[in-house]
Amino acid sequence: MMENLQLLVSYFQQTPLAFVLAVFVFSLCVGSFLNVVIYRLPIMMETAFEQEYQEYFHPKTAKPLDETFNLAVPRSACPKCHHPLAARDNIPVLGWLLLGGKCRYCKTPISKRYPIVELSTALLSAVVAYHFGATGFGALTIVTTWCLIALTGTDIDKMLLPDEITLPLLWLVLSATLFGIGQSSADAILGAAVGYLSLWSVYWAFKLLTGKEGMGYGDFKLMAIFGALLGWQQLPLVILLSAVVGAVVGSILLMAANKGQDTKIPYGPYIIGAGFIALLWGEQIKNAYLGYVFN
């Protein structure tokens, strides 16, 4: 088994295009699963919270759940007519196109977000695969990309960055350093600590000054992930990019929706976008800036 895996890795290292194409196709399927995660995980968390609350505070009247609901069960179905989807309808992107963006049975329009998530997952993963190649760090960043897409979706939908994704991803990045993948263990641990504390400090300073919460704890953990993945040296770039993008895009969205400045907007996608840019082109951006300043 290990010998076959080594042969496959060697083949992908010698033929980068094959590796990129393989990642693209496989990530299409992963994107289909991420759609399930984005939709179901918040519901699962809310249901589990309500169940635990009832069992703790009202143990005599608490009732077990009537139906199993997780990432695998029940089968995907049309939200309108509840007809289970056929396997051919679940083919990433192609299934949506063949159906003309409508349910096969009741003709209810299917959200464009499903193929967008699938195609985005495939494209971004292919970019990462091309950039880092068939290496340990390449594999780590591809998995990280999948998790970041899921986090982006849940934060946009529910303003939620689930611990069920952020904490395992953080531990994965930190554990990878023990095998020489990514930063040194010391830099990764320091980066995670600095990343978390940087936004934690801003959060408490803002709360003490205004009495309001400017961001959630999930944002701290997200910054810790990028600190562990990129090292503490890249964190100023991530913070600066996320602040600039958040201010510009957030203002545009608020004006387009005709909402006030007190309207809450998810900050996670801006951190994710900034971190992804720093991951791929952070050194080039830093060198270009330093060259501009000192020349």
Side-chain angles (χ1 to χ4, degrees), residues 85-247:
L85 301 182
R88 63 182 182 276
D89 298 335
N90 277 322
I91 299 174
V93 181
L94 185 60
W96 187 88
L97 292 174
L98 292 175
L99 289 172
K102 297 180 181 180
C103 173
R104 179 184 299 276
Y105 308 99
C106 67
K107 305 305 178 184
T108 298
I110 302 172
S111 174
K112 295 179 182 178
R113 193 177 75 171
Y114 293 106
I116 289 175
V117 169
E118 292 164 354
L119 191 57
S120 298
T121 303
L123 289 173
L124 293 176
S125 300
V127 169
V128 170
Y130 175 79
H131 191 86
F132 294 109
T135 61
F137 190 71
L140 176 63
T141 49
I142 289 170
V143 173
T144 300
T145 300
W146 297 341
C147 294
L148 294 178
I149 290 172
L151 289 170
T152 299
T154 57
D155 206 21
I156 290 174
D157 280 357
K158 302 293 184 179
M159 297 192 69
L160 177 70
L161 296 169
D163 285 349
E164 286 81 352
I165 300 177
T166 56
L167 294 183
L169 179 57
L170 176 59
W171 286 115
L172 174 65
V173 174
L174 290 173
S175 299
T177 65
L178 300 175
F179 302 93
I181 299 174
Q183 307 295 318
S184 67
S185 294
D187 281 346
I189 293 172
L190 181 59
V194 172
Y196 187 94
L197 291 175
S198 62
L199 290 191
W200 179 87
S201 302
V202 172
Y203 167 87
W204 279 108
F206 184 81
K207 187 171 184 178
L208 289 173
L209 290 172
T210 66
K212 301 177 181 178
E213 296 183 356
M215 61 185 71
Y217 279 67
D219 297 322
F220 313 160
K221 297 162 191 172
L222 195 56
M223 192 62 74
I225 291 170
F226 282 116
L229 189 65
L230 303 173
W232 63 269
Q233 300 90 337
Q234 292 281 20
L235 286 175
L237 176 62
V238 177
I239 294 172
L240 178 62
L241 285 175
S242 63
V244 172
V245 174

Side-chain angles (χ1 to χ4, degrees), residues 272-283:
I272 290 170
F276 193 79
I277 292 172
L279 176 65
L280 296 178
W281 304 290
E283 285 299 322

Side-chain angles (χ1 to χ4, degrees), residues 45-66:
M45 294 172 63
E46 181 179 358
T47 303
F49 175 78
E50 291 178 354
Q51 185 71 12
E52 290 174 3
Y53 175 86
Q54 292 297 330
E55 291 176 353
Y56 186 83
F57 290 101
H58 308 285
K60 294 182 179 180
T61 58
K63 298 179 180 180
L65 297 177
D66 296 331

